[in-house]
Amino acid sequence: MNQKVEFITTDQVKIVADYYAPKAASRKGVVLVHMMPATRNSWEEFAGKLQAVGYHALTIDLRGHGESGGGNFQRFSDAEHQASIRDLEAAAKFLGEKGAAELAVAGASIGANLALQYLAENPETKAAVLLSPGLDYRGIQTPPLAARVSDKSKILFVGAEDDAASMGGSCEELVSELGITAKICFAAGGHGTNLFQTHPELPEALLDFLKQK
């Protein structure tokens, strides 16, 4: 079960999200960030799995997407896309107020780049799961962000070799470029949260990684 919630970012944008509360008190939470174009619903099934094993889970519509405010993402400048980091900050604050003091972030595509940025800027974050990150989505560049993360074991990279739009090269090359140690590289499967459909074993692998952090 989930609850539709709303909160306001520091730059006064309304963010709409679905909150999956654990059945018992828990300090663990995960913010889930969709790819573009998509909405919070793309993380719905995985959020339910997190909830079932005792996590606070929050799926958000980034500004300009779904039910959130901020305009239409199709007309965003790079700077407006980059401002979406404030959506993650507001989401983290929401979960913190619910008792989730041990926070992880997970994102797909541009959401993965934003998740890595959040981890780099908030080193107390437990972990980041990156589905199909790119070297540069709308000016959110992963190499300098990854360089700021001192403990690379906090990061799980997930990608597919047939995802040319994300990789711009092979999965292994991108992992090496970012210096990430934990990785899942599929031969095929597509982009971002589409990997959940092509690889039904993936959710359990993500849960296993998060449980270790």
Side-chain angles (χ1 to χ4, degrees):
M1 297 292 293
N2 62 75
Q3 174 189 2
K4 181 178 172 181
V5 298
E6 299 178 0
F7 42 85
I8 304 297
T9 66
T10 56
D11 59 344
Q12 303 304 304
V13 175
K14 182 184 79 172
I15 300 300
V16 177
D18 285 331
Y19 172 52
Y20 298 73
K23 292 182 179 179
S26 173
R27 291 174 54 83
K28 296 182 178 181
V30 184
V31 175
L32 300 157
V33 192
H34 62 78
M35 58 186 181
M36 182 177 66
T39 67
R40 66 189 191 274
N41 294 337
S42 59
W43 283 103
E44 179 179 5
E45 184 174 349
F46 186 64
K49 291 180 181 296
L50 285 167
Q51 180 185 44
V53 295
Y55 284 81
H56 301 262
L58 188 69
T59 63
I60 67 172
D61 280 342
L62 290 170
R63 61 184 61 202
H65 296 76
E67 296 182 76
S68 288
N72 184 338
F73 77 92
Q74 294 177 320
R75 294 193 286 270
F76 276 9
S77 66
D78 284 358
E80 288 172 306
H81 279 289
Q82 292 161 28
S84 297
I85 191 62
R86 295 175 180 172
D87 308 350
L88 277 69
E89 293 166 354
K93 180 181 178 182
F94 175 90
L95 284 187
E97 292 170 349
K98 295 295 184 180
E102 300 176 9
L103 187 70
V105 288
S109 191
I110 193 171
N113 286 33
L114 287 165
L116 181 59
Q117 181 179 350
Y118 186 85
L119 176 64
E121 294 177 353
N122 299 272
E124 73 282 1
T125 305
K126 301 295 289 184
V129 173
L130 314 180
L131 272 60
S132 307
L135 293 176
D136 186 341
Y137 285 141
R138 297 291 192 158
I140 307 166
Q141 300 177 2
T142 49
L145 293 171
R148 292 166 57 187
V149 179
S150 59
D151 185 357
K152 297 297 192 295
S153 70
K154 288 185 170 186
I155 306 171
L156 174 63
F157 175 101
V158 183
E161 294 288 353
D162 66 345
D163 184 12
S166 169
M167 302 304 155
S170 77
C171 178
E172 293 289 350
E173 286 174 352
L174 184 51
V175 167
S176 177
E177 173 117 15
L178 299 180
I180 297 173
T181 56
K183 63 182 184 297
I184 300 173
C185 288
F186 297 113
H191 187 68
T193 44
N194 294 331
L195 290 165
F196 288 134
Q197 281 70 56
T198 55
H199 294 280
E201 72 280 14
L202 180 57
E204 288 303 318
L206 302 190
L207 287 175
D208 287 344
F209 174 78
L210 290 169
K211 288 175 184 177
Q212 295 168 15
K213 301 303 169 187

